[in-house]
Amino acid sequence: VFGQNYVSSSFDATTFPPTGWTRNVISGSGGSASSFNWIRTTSGISGPTGVTPHSGAGMAGYNSYWITSGSAELITPSMNFSTYTGGSNQVSFWFYYTGGSDRVDVYINTSAASSGGTLLASIYGYSPGASGWKQYTYSLPSSYSSSSSVYIIFKCVSAYGYDLLLDDVSVDHIPACSGAASIA
């Protein structure tokens, strides 16, 4: 049983980024400048096409297929972790494997940028096995549990491979009595 949901988004609304979320281009080359940032998509972007969202009508995507090198961040709204005590916090999301060396780095920080944040994971576009959606859940460091301004940052890094797709992001407080485990 979850104690509190801080953020939940499946990127279904046509407004992107969703209310409270931000996005930031770090760098980019190749393609056009408009392709250097996270976008909302309903069927993949460039490679592969025809990918449907994990759930609902939309998903977030980064067009590594046309970006020879570059990176951009998709940032959650600010969350206040100091309100809930006696448990832990976690982030959960679905990521689509398409192939290639492109990756999404997942950070937690008290400012709305990956710089200076704590790296939770680097997830590459290639995967053992077939392409498809896979869920990731990470326990968030307890050092952030009393912070009143916390962000999760999804930083895509292009290696000129395939698109990076993200859906169903959730950040939750888990009460101490729930016995929830971290899955990587």
Side-chain angles (χ1 to χ4, degrees), residues 39-60:
I39 64 167
R40 176 189 180 269
T41 184
T42 59
S43 64
I45 306 168
S46 297
T49 57
V51 176
T52 57
H54 176 259
S55 73
M59 59 191 150

Side-chain angles (χ1 to χ4, degrees), residues 76-154:
T76 66
S78 177
M79 299 169 282
N80 183 351
F81 284 0
S82 67
T83 306
Y84 301 95
T85 59
S88 61
N89 297 305
Q90 71 178 24
V91 61
S92 178
F93 56 91
W94 287 82
F95 180 74
Y96 191 87
Y97 282 108
T98 57
S101 297
D102 312 284
R103 73 178 192 273
V104 63
D105 294 334
V106 184
Y107 290 87
I108 185 171
N109 203 350
T110 54
S111 64
S114 58
S115 179
T118 301
L119 179 65
L120 299 172
S122 291
I123 303 167
Y124 287 82
Y126 58 81
S127 169
S131 295
W133 288 105
K134 182 176 178 184
Q135 185 178 31
Y136 290 88
T137 302
Y138 296 99
S139 292
L140 301 178
S142 61
S143 58
Y144 290 89
S145 64
S146 63
S147 298
S148 60
S149 182
V150 179
Y151 303 86
I152 302 296
I153 300 100
F154 297 93

Side-chain angles (χ1 to χ4, degrees), residues 58-80:
M59 59 191 150
Y62 182 74
N63 192 352
S64 293
Y65 190 81
W66 290 109
I67 302 170
T68 55
S69 67
S71 62
E73 299 169 331
L74 182 62
I75 305 157
T76 66
S78 177
M79 299 169 282
N80 183 351

Side-chain angles (χ1 to χ4, degrees), residues 159-176:
Y160 200 35
Y162 293 99
D163 301 331
L164 298 170
L165 303 169
L166 177 72
D167 205 358
D168 297 322
V169 175
S170 182
V171 182
D172 299 289
H173 176 77
I174 311 299

